[in-house]
Amino acid sequence: MDLEPGDRVDRLRRLCRLAVRTLPASGAGLSVLAQDRQFSMLTAADPVSERLEELQFVLGEGPCVDASADRSPVLVADLASEGLQRWPAYASAVLEAGMCAVFAFPLQIGAAQLGVLDLFRARTGSLSGAELGRALTLADRAVTVLLADGLDGDEPLGATTELFQAQGMVMVQIGGTLPEAMARIRAYAYARDRRLADVARAIVARELRFERDG
């Protein structure tokens, strides 16, 4: 399962595609945790997976969120039953995209949380013991890739440059905190059905500005 050399995002994208090829998965996405404890989508196996991965952070619910909070895998073999009760908005969107099961694996080492690897599947059913073991091995490999460049780079882990820059700009515009700024960005993206990356790009380009409440 060795991955070819390349930058961190490219290697993790290949890992997501490897998960789709070697597991009963129809898609895969990987998100990471920034220094401000905010998640952001880093990469995915395909555009559909990318959208489903990011949608969790727009809606504020989903397997990635729960896997990080619980620090343990979240395995939902039938979204139409368990998922709709657990994540009403997110599960509905995933089902509409043709996915019927999701499996989330936290990426962590000791007390450090790095992110989550999500697998999406177009049919219901649990992972077998062997499949679960392989998914955990891929999650461990993702941790290795994330740690390869260290955790003390100039860019906060898990935040793309534009999203982090946009978050800081909105914080100043609304006179609030970084979490409040991210909440405003997410609410805007959700209300207008836009990707976070597109909204961030518009903020950085000064095509979009947020006002103080009241």
Side-chain angles (χ1 to χ4, degrees):
M1 293 195 303
D2 288 341
L3 300 176
E4 297 176 2
D7 67 33
R8 182 169 60 182
V9 175
D10 284 342
R11 281 179 284 163
L12 291 171
R13 183 179 300 113
R14 288 195 292 268
L15 187 143
C16 288
R17 292 171 178 169
L18 179 63
V20 174
R21 293 198 307 270
T22 60
L23 287 166
S26 307
L30 191 148
S31 293
V32 284
L33 194 61
Q35 292 174 346
D36 60 1
R37 308 301 297 173
Q38 296 286 341
F39 266 103
S40 66
M41 195 281 299
L42 183 65
T43 190
D46 56 83
V48 172
S49 297
E50 182 177 329
R51 174 60 176 162
L52 295 180
E53 187 72 13
E54 185 182 72
L55 189 59
Q56 299 180 81
F57 315 121
V58 175
L59 298 173
E61 64 179 28
C64 181
V65 177
D66 287 3
S68 176
D70 298 339
R71 302 180 69 89
S72 64
V74 172
L75 311 174
V76 179
D78 188 352
L79 271 171
S81 56
E82 180 185 350
L84 285 173
Q85 296 177 7
R86 193 166 182 174
W87 316 297
Y90 182 70
S92 296
V94 176
L95 287 166
E96 186 175 344
M99 300 299 173
C100 300
V102 294
F103 310 99
F105 302 89
L107 309 177
Q108 53 197 17
I109 180 167
Q113 289 185 288
L114 308 181
V116 176
L117 172 66
D118 290 318
L119 305 179
F120 306 97
R121 193 165 67 182
R123 61 178 175 83
T124 60
S126 303
L127 295 175
S128 69
E131 292 163 352
L132 181 59
R134 188 169 186 82
L136 290 170
T137 298
L138 286 170
D140 288 342
R141 185 57 186 273
V143 169
T144 300
V145 174
L146 286 170
L147 292 175
D149 298 323
L151 298 179
D152 299 318
D154 294 332
E155 182 181 275
L157 181 63
T160 63
T161 301
E162 282 186 330
L163 183 57
F164 187 73
Q165 185 177 353
Q167 189 180 3
M169 291 173 66
V170 173
M171 179 185 71
V172 173
Q173 291 169 8
I174 67 175
T177 64
L178 281 172
E180 289 169 345
M182 183 58 74
R184 289 284 295 272
I185 294 171
R186 287 174 173 163
Y188 183 93
Y190 174 66
R192 290 159 180 78
D193 193 26
R194 294 180 63 182
R195 294 185 53 209
L196 282 174
D198 294 335
V199 174
R201 193 170 297 115
I203 294 169
V204 172
R206 292 177 170 76
E207 298 169 356
L208 174 62
R209 180 181 174 83
F210 289 77
E211 303 296 334
R212 295 173 184 260
D213 290 332

Short mmCIF file of all heavy atoms in Angstrom, two decimals, residues 40-42 154-156 158-169 197 200-201 204:
data_model
loop_
_atom_site.label_atom_id
_atom_site.label_comp_id
_atom_site.label_asym_id
_atom_site.label_seq_id
_atom_site.Cartn_x
_atom_site.Cartn_y
_atom_site.Cartn_z
N SER A 40 -11.68 21.16 8.48
CA SER A 40 -11.82 21.55 7.08
C SER A 40 -11.49 20.35 6.20
O SER A 40 -10.67 19.51 6.56
CB SER A 40 -10.92 22.74 6.73
OG SER A 40 -9.56 22.38 6.83
N MET A 41 -12.18 20.27 5.07
CA MET A 41 -11.96 19.20 4.13
C MET A 41 -10.59 19.40 3.47
O MET A 41 -10.30 20.47 2.97
CB MET A 41 -13.07 19.20 3.09
CG MET A 41 -13.17 17.93 2.24
SD MET A 41 -11.95 17.86 0.90
CE MET A 41 -12.41 19.31 -0.04
N LEU A 42 -9.76 18.37 3.48
CA LEU A 42 -8.43 18.48 2.89
C LEU A 42 -8.40 17.90 1.48
O LEU A 42 -7.90 18.52 0.56
CB LEU A 42 -7.40 17.77 3.77
CG LEU A 42 -5.96 17.87 3.29
CD1 LEU A 42 -5.47 19.32 3.35
CD2 LEU A 42 -5.05 17.00 4.15
N ASP A 154 4.02 26.61 8.97
CA ASP A 154 3.51 27.98 9.02
C ASP A 154 2.00 28.01 8.83
O ASP A 154 1.33 28.92 9.29
CB ASP A 154 4.17 28.82 7.92
CG ASP A 154 5.66 29.00 8.17
OD1 ASP A 154 6.06 28.97 9.35
OD2 ASP A 154 6.40 29.15 7.18
N GLU A 155 1.45 27.03 8.12
CA GLU A 155 0.01 27.02 7.87
C GLU A 155 -0.66 26.10 8.87
O GLU A 155 -0.24 24.99 9.09
CB GLU A 155 -0.27 26.51 6.46
CG GLU A 155 -1.75 26.51 6.10
CD GLU A 155 -1.98 25.98 4.69
OE1 GLU A 155 -1.88 26.78 3.76
OE2 GLU A 155 -2.23 24.79 4.54
N PRO A 156 -1.75 26.53 9.54
CA PRO A 156 -2.45 25.70 10.50
C PRO A 156 -2.90 24.40 9.85
O PRO A 156 -3.47 24.41 8.76
CB PRO A 156 -3.65 26.57 10.92
CG PRO A 156 -3.22 27.95 10.64
CD PRO A 156 -2.36 27.87 9.41
N GLY A 158 -4.92 21.58 8.55
CA GLY A 158 -6.33 21.39 8.26
C GLY A 158 -7.03 22.62 7.71
O GLY A 158 -8.19 22.56 7.36
N ALA A 159 -6.38 23.74 7.66
CA ALA A 159 -7.02 24.92 7.10
C ALA A 159 -6.34 25.28 5.80
O ALA A 159 -5.15 25.47 5.75
CB ALA A 159 -6.90 26.09 8.08
N THR A 160 -7.10 25.35 4.73
CA THR A 160 -6.51 25.82 3.49
C THR A 160 -6.15 27.29 3.67
O THR A 160 -6.72 27.98 4.51
CB THR A 160 -7.50 25.68 2.32
OG1 THR A 160 -8.63 26.52 2.57
CG2 THR A 160 -7.96 24.23 2.16
N THR A 161 -5.22 27.78 2.88
CA THR A 161 -4.78 29.16 3.02
C THR A 161 -5.94 30.13 2.87
O THR A 161 -6.11 31.05 3.68
CB THR A 161 -3.70 29.47 1.97
OG1 THR A 161 -2.60 28.57 2.15
CG2 THR A 161 -3.21 30.90 2.11
N GLU A 162 -6.76 29.93 1.85
CA GLU A 162 -7.86 30.88 1.61
C GLU A 162 -8.91 30.84 2.71
O GLU A 162 -9.41 31.88 3.13
CB GLU A 162 -8.51 30.59 0.25
CG GLU A 162 -7.71 31.12 -0.93
CD GLU A 162 -8.44 30.97 -2.24
OE1 GLU A 162 -9.23 30.02 -2.37
OE2 GLU A 162 -8.20 31.79 -3.14
N LEU A 163 -9.24 29.63 3.17
CA LEU A 163 -10.28 29.53 4.20
C LEU A 163 -9.80 30.17 5.50
O LEU A 163 -10.55 30.90 6.16
CB LEU A 163 -10.66 28.06 4.44
CG LEU A 163 -11.79 27.83 5.45
CD1 LEU A 163 -13.05 28.59 5.04
CD2 LEU A 163 -12.09 26.34 5.59
N PHE A 164 -8.55 29.93 5.85
CA PHE A 164 -8.02 30.53 7.07
C PHE A 164 -7.94 32.05 6.94
O PHE A 164 -8.26 32.78 7.88
CB PHE A 164 -6.65 29.94 7.39
CG PHE A 164 -6.12 30.39 8.72
CD1 PHE A 164 -6.65 29.90 9.90
CD2 PHE A 164 -5.09 31.32 8.78
CE1 PHE A 164 -6.15 30.32 11.13
CE2 PHE A 164 -4.59 31.74 10.01
CZ PHE A 164 -5.13 31.25 11.18
N GLN A 165 -7.51 32.51 5.78
CA GLN A 165 -7.42 33.96 5.56
C GLN A 165 -8.82 34.58 5.62
O GLN A 165 -9.02 35.65 6.21
CB GLN A 165 -6.77 34.25 4.22
CG GLN A 165 -6.55 35.73 3.96
CD GLN A 165 -5.84 35.98 2.63
OE1 GLN A 165 -5.39 35.05 1.97
NE2 GLN A 165 -5.73 37.24 2.26
N ALA A 166 -9.80 33.91 4.99
CA ALA A 166 -11.17 34.42 5.00
C ALA A 166 -11.73 34.47 6.42
O ALA A 166 -12.42 35.42 6.80
CB ALA A 166 -12.05 33.53 4.12
N GLN A 167 -11.41 33.45 7.20
CA GLN A 167 -11.88 33.41 8.58
C GLN A 167 -11.35 34.60 9.37
O GLN A 167 -12.09 35.24 10.12
CB GLN A 167 -11.44 32.10 9.23
CG GLN A 167 -12.03 31.83 10.60
CD GLN A 167 -11.55 30.52 11.17
OE1 GLN A 167 -10.73 29.83 10.58
NE2 GLN A 167 -12.06 30.16 12.33
N GLY A 168 -10.08 34.92 9.18
CA GLY A 168 -9.51 36.07 9.86
C GLY A 168 -10.12 37.38 9.42
O GLY A 168 -10.36 38.28 10.23
N MET A 169 -10.40 37.49 8.11
CA MET A 169 -11.01 38.72 7.59
C MET A 169 -12.41 38.91 8.15
O MET A 169 -12.79 40.03 8.55
CB MET A 169 -11.04 38.67 6.06
CG MET A 169 -9.66 38.77 5.42
SD MET A 169 -9.69 38.51 3.63
CE MET A 169 -10.63 39.94 3.08
N ALA A 197 -15.10 26.55 0.07
CA ALA A 197 -13.94 27.06 -0.66
C ALA A 197 -14.33 28.23 -1.56
O ALA A 197 -13.58 29.21 -1.69
CB ALA A 197 -13.31 25.94 -1.47
N ALA A 200 -15.00 31.28 0.67
CA ALA A 200 -13.73 31.81 1.17
C ALA A 200 -13.01 32.61 0.08
O ALA A 200 -12.45 33.67 0.34
CB ALA A 200 -12.84 30.67 1.66
N ARG A 201 -13.04 32.08 -1.13
CA ARG A 201 -12.38 32.76 -2.24
C ARG A 201 -13.01 34.13 -2.49
O ARG A 201 -12.30 35.12 -2.75
CB ARG A 201 -12.46 31.88 -3.50
CG ARG A 201 -11.56 32.32 -4.64
CD ARG A 201 -11.54 31.27 -5.73
NE ARG A 201 -10.99 30.01 -5.26
CZ ARG A 201 -11.69 28.88 -5.17
NH1 ARG A 201 -12.95 28.85 -5.53
NH2 ARG A 201 -11.11 27.78 -4.74
N VAL A 204 -11.84 36.55 0.34
CA VAL A 204 -10.46 36.98 0.16
C VAL A 204 -10.34 37.97 -1.00
O VAL A 204 -9.56 38.93 -0.94
CB VAL A 204 -9.54 35.76 -0.07
CG1 VAL A 204 -8.13 36.20 -0.45
CG2 VAL A 204 -9.50 34.90 1.19
#
